[in-house]
Amino acid sequence: MCDTLPGADDNGTGVVGLLQIMKQLKNDTLGKYCFEVVAYTLEEPPFFATEYMGSFVHAESLHSRGVDVFGMVSLEMIGYFSDAKKSQDYPLKFLRFFYGNVGDYITVVRKMNKGPFARNFSGKYKKSKKVRTKKFTGPQKLTGIDFSDHRNYWHFEYDAIMLTDTAFYRNKNYHRSTDTVDTIDFDRMAAVIDGVLWTLRRMN
Ligand SMILES: [Zn+2]
């Protein structure tokens, strides 16, 4: 028997982000760049980290066609925030000293020593001041850093970042029946999406 998993933050919020970005950029161009808004299937176990992930199939098809990818932005879970003390955990406890124990921010995650797009995007995103933002750069082997679709772009040496509310390090409803829409912070989620639009329009 399976629990009912409403999946509001994981990953209703990411889908809302995609839809809103599509709507806002419908009559827009991003300079000389084409852009694709892609919803991926099979991100979860047992397909996670296999070539059956939708994002693996997509990244591989770009690679095999020799498409020059400027950058990829993965909207992971983007709707859960808390202003309470001790509401934020980390894969390594010492990170708390750098990032604090209050889960009131969005994280822009990129891989260490990788990618001008990722560096530029995360810097600009923070400057947009739409939402409290913390930049995180780490080695790929750090637990959690590649827990979403951007991992497959990294695999093909594409420049990619992940935007995340840090998933289970903050949201204890993760993969539970309690991941419901009433736990979503719509104001901050909207600000996260506004930040993506603001940043994408300034990436040229
Ligand atoms: Zn999940």
Side-chain angles (χ1 to χ4, degrees):
M1 275 291 284
C2 289
D3 254 353
T4 302
L5 301 177
D9 193 23
D10 181 20
N11 188 255
T13 58
V15 175
V16 166
L18 289 186
L19 294 173
Q20 187 62 13
I21 285 164
M22 260 196 290
K23 191 172 160 190
Q24 296 296 322
L25 295 180
K26 191 173 66 175
N27 299 314
D28 206 333
T29 57
L30 294 176
K32 60 187 175 181
Y33 299 103
C34 304
F35 62 95
E36 293 185 337
V37 178
V38 190
Y40 304 112
T41 187
L42 303 186
E43 187 249 11
E44 299 276 359
F47 302 103
F48 181 75
T50 71
E51 62 192 34
Y52 299 109
M53 289 178 80
S55 52
F56 186 94
V57 173
H58 188 243
E60 186 183 41
S61 86
L62 293 168
H63 183 75
S64 67
R65 284 180 284 137
V67 177
D68 186 14
V69 176
F70 181 56
M72 183 270 187
V73 178
S74 174
L75 302 181
E76 210 255 337
M77 298 161 62
I78 58 168
Y80 190 87
F81 300 86
S82 173
D83 297 309
K85 281 183 182 163
K86 296 186 178 173
S87 56
Q88 184 67 52
D89 288 329
Y90 298 95
L92 301 169
K93 289 288 177 208
F94 76 87
L95 289 171
R96 195 171 283 182
F97 294 110
F98 296 99
Y99 294 94
N101 66 11
V102 181
D104 62 350
Y105 61 89
I106 195 81
T107 317
V108 189
V109 177
R110 67 186 176 93
K111 193 160 67 168
M112 208 172 262
N113 302 322
K114 270 287 179 191
F117 172 86
R119 194 178 318 113
N120 194 3
F121 186 98
S122 60
K124 281 201 169 72
Y125 190 89
K126 193 170 165 75
K127 269 193 213 129
S128 81
K129 291 196 161 59
K130 301 287 183 192
V131 63
R132 195 167 154 76
T133 302
K134 298 195 181 188
K135 297 190 284 182
F136 184 78
T137 308
Q140 190 164 2
K141 62 178 187 235
L142 184 69
T143 308
I145 196 171
D146 65 353
F147 276 9
S148 196
D149 293 302
H150 59 300
R151 62 178 287 125
N152 294 313
Y153 294 79
W154 285 352
H155 176 82
F156 288 102
E157 298 289 328
Y158 288 135
D159 199 345
I161 62 119
M162 167 172 68
L163 279 167
T164 179
D165 61 23
T166 76
F168 50 87
Y169 292 115
R170 176 184 305 165
N171 189 348
K172 301 308 170 196
N173 304 312
Y174 176 83
H175 285 191
R176 290 174 190 268
S177 58
T178 49
D179 184 9
T180 52
V181 75
D182 55 298
T183 64
I184 302 302
D185 184 328
F186 289 105
D187 290 339
R188 280 189 274 203
M189 179 180 78
V192 169
I193 299 165
D194 281 347
V196 174
L197 287 160
W198 189 96
T199 307
L200 286 178
R201 288 178 167 132
R202 286 163 182 79
M203 286 300 289
N204 296 309

